[in-house]
């Protein structure tokens, strides 16, 4: 299995390949090869900054002679007008790395900003419920998007299909019920020497009773009402972790959190997020000043 670093390296290589192709002819036609300059990263929207390490790797992999100076850390609260990074070196390299770096930073910062908004609202409401992401990520960018969730104060549900067993409705229906699904999952882990957490989705109180009887690490309440969620949490009684899922939004999440669940998962953190506005401008440009 590829490491996170190897996956990110492949993403960077593919991104440069699809963007530059056989050459950035716009840059090559008008910028001398030996021209040296500096560009600065300007924040244009309030939010949580995320992705600085992968941005540095983008510059390093394209041109190791580029000098990167970072002024804020991942997770910092930034505001319009903030200069968070400067890069010095060959102007051709600055121009050719600009879009990929911005694409990554804008998306990761957008995810971190939304995650922070959700998690802070749960804290302000006096709950201990934690925000979880899902596998509804951009193909190839999952590691970066899930890292952004953590930077924003949330938690990763699971990285992929390999690091946790999540028995969802289709698994349960194909297996013939919750009891069979959990039983087979435990047997599989035993036979293959896997130390994986087992989570089971339940759609009603009958399935919840089966899951509690069979036992698992976490139970997901799928499309329960806040009232039924409270009853379900009481029935679980701390025997395992609890999670709410299924159409829950920022506007509707507080009653679920107050029902006592440990986690609420939101696909919107990664599949519906808007990137944080920022730009990469030549040092000395009047565009570096927010007017």
């Amino acid at each position: 299995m590829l490491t996170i670093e190897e996956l990110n390296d492949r993403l960077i290589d593919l991104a440069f390949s699809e963007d530059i192709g056989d050459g950035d002819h716009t840059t090559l036609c008008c910028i001398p090869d030996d021209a040296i300059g500096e560009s600065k990263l300007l924040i244009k929207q309030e939010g949580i900054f995320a992705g600085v390490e992968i941005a540095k790797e983008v510059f390093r992999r394209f041109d190791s002679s580029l000098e990167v100076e970072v002024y804020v850390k991942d997770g910092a609260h930034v505001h319009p007008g903030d200069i968070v990074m400067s890069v010095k070196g060959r102007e051709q390299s600055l121009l050719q790395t600009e879009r990929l770096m911005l694409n990554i930073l804008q998306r990761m910062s957008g995810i971190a900003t939304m995650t922070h908004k959700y998690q802070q609202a749960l804290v302000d409401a006096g709950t201990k419920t934690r925000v979880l992401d899902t596998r509804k990520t951009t193909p190839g960018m999952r590691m970066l998007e899930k890292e952004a969730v953590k930077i924003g104060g949330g938690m990763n549900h699971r990285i992929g299909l390999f690091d946790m067993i999540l028995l969802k409705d289709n698994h349960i229906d194909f297996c013939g019920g919750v009891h069979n699904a959990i039983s087979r999952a435990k047997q599989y882990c035993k036979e293959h020497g896997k130390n994986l957490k087992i989570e089971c989705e339940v759609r009603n109180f009958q399935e919840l009773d089966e899951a509690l009887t069979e036992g698992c690490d976490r139970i997901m309440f799928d499309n329960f009402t806040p009232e039924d969620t409270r009853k379900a949490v009481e029935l679980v009684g701390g025997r395992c972790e609890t999670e709410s899922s299924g159409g829950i939004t920022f506007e509707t999440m507080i009653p679920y959190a107050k029902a006592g669940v440990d986690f609420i998962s939101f696909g919107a953190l990664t599949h519906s997020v808007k990137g944080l506005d920022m730009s990469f401008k030549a040092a000395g440009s009047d565009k570096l000043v927010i007017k």
Side-chain angles (χ1 to χ4, degrees):
M1 185 172 68
L2 294 175
T3 65
I4 293 176
E5 290 75 17
E6 290 170 333
L7 286 169
N8 288 342
D9 285 347
R10 287 193 175 191
L11 170 64
I12 293 171
D13 291 341
L14 176 60
F16 276 133
S17 179
E18 69 179 2
D19 196 33
I20 296 176
D22 70 344
D24 173 9
H25 303 301
T26 307
T27 294
L28 296 175
C29 78
C30 62
I31 304 298
D33 180 67
D34 60 352
I36 301 298
E38 178 182 5
S39 292
K40 297 186 177 183
L41 187 64
L42 171 70
I43 298 298
K44 302 169 72 176
Q45 181 182 1
E46 183 177 358
I48 304 299
F49 183 63
V52 67
E53 294 304 321
I54 189 68
K56 288 163 61 177
E57 188 63 14
V58 166
F59 294 124
R60 187 194 69 79
R61 286 181 66 80
F62 189 82
D63 182 349
S64 61
S65 70
L66 290 173
E67 300 176 10
V68 182
E69 187 170 2
V70 179
Y71 307 121
V72 302
K73 296 180 179 180
D74 279 341
H77 197 146
V78 292
H79 303 82
D82 288 349
I83 303 294
V84 298
M85 179 192 302
S86 65
V87 187
K88 298 178 182 179
R90 293 176 63 240
E91 290 178 356
Q92 287 189 357
S93 296
L94 294 176
L95 289 165
Q96 291 177 93
T97 54
E98 174 185 340
R99 177 43 53 197
L100 174 55
M101 177 273 298
L102 281 174
N103 284 349
I104 290 173
L105 283 180
Q106 287 182 289
R107 182 153 186 84
M108 289 187 68
S109 297
I111 291 170
T113 299
M114 180 180 284
T115 303
H116 175 78
K117 174 184 175 181
Y118 280 51
Q119 187 61 66
Q120 190 60 51
L122 293 178
V123 172
D124 291 343
T127 79
K128 296 181 179 180
T129 304
R130 297 299 305 275
V131 169
L132 292 179
D133 55 22
T134 70
R135 286 169 50 240
K136 297 175 183 177
T137 55
T138 307
M141 290 192 67
R142 178 172 296 176
M143 298 303 182
L144 301 184
E145 293 180 346
K146 284 185 170 285
E147 177 64 21
V149 168
K150 291 195 294 184
I151 291 171
M155 295 178 64
N156 296 152
H157 188 285
R158 54 176 176 165
I159 300 301
L161 297 173
F162 57 88
D163 60 331
M164 181 180 184
I165 291 177
L166 174 51
L167 302 166
K168 301 201 73 176
D169 52 357
N170 283 335
H171 300 96
I172 292 165
D173 291 340
F174 281 135
C175 283
V178 167
H179 171 80
N180 289 344
I182 297 178
S183 178
R184 291 179 188 179
K186 289 181 176 180
Q187 186 63 30
Y188 175 89
C189 289
K190 181 178 180 180
E191 291 176 354
H192 292 82
K194 297 288 185 181
N195 184 25
L196 297 173
K197 281 192 172 184
I198 299 173
E199 178 174 6
C200 185
E201 177 182 276
V202 299
R203 294 163 286 190
N204 51 57
F205 285 98
Q206 180 180 339
E207 290 187 341
L208 173 57
D209 184 62
E210 289 184 52
L212 290 173
T213 299
E214 188 63 32
C216 58
D217 297 291
R218 184 185 301 172
I219 295 176
M220 177 193 294
F221 310 130
D222 181 47
N223 286 301
F224 278 41
T225 65
E227 294 75 16
D228 283 346
T229 300
R230 184 179 300 279
K231 295 176 185 177
V233 169
E234 291 174 356
L235 287 171
V236 171
R239 284 177 279 179
C240 65
E241 295 176 334
T242 57
E243 175 186 343
S244 285
S245 182
I248 302 173
T249 66
F250 179 80
E251 290 73 23
T252 64
M253 67 180 183
I254 298 300
Y256 288 92
K258 288 189 174 181
V261 290
D262 298 306
F263 307 102
I264 302 177
S265 51
F266 299 93
L269 296 180
T270 51
H271 73 58
S272 299
V273 71
K274 181 180 179 182
L276 194 72
D277 196 10
M278 60 185 74
S279 60
F280 195 51
K281 297 298 182 182
S285 169
D286 59 1
K287 299 296 185 181
L288 280 170
V289 180
I290 299 293
K291 298 179 179 178

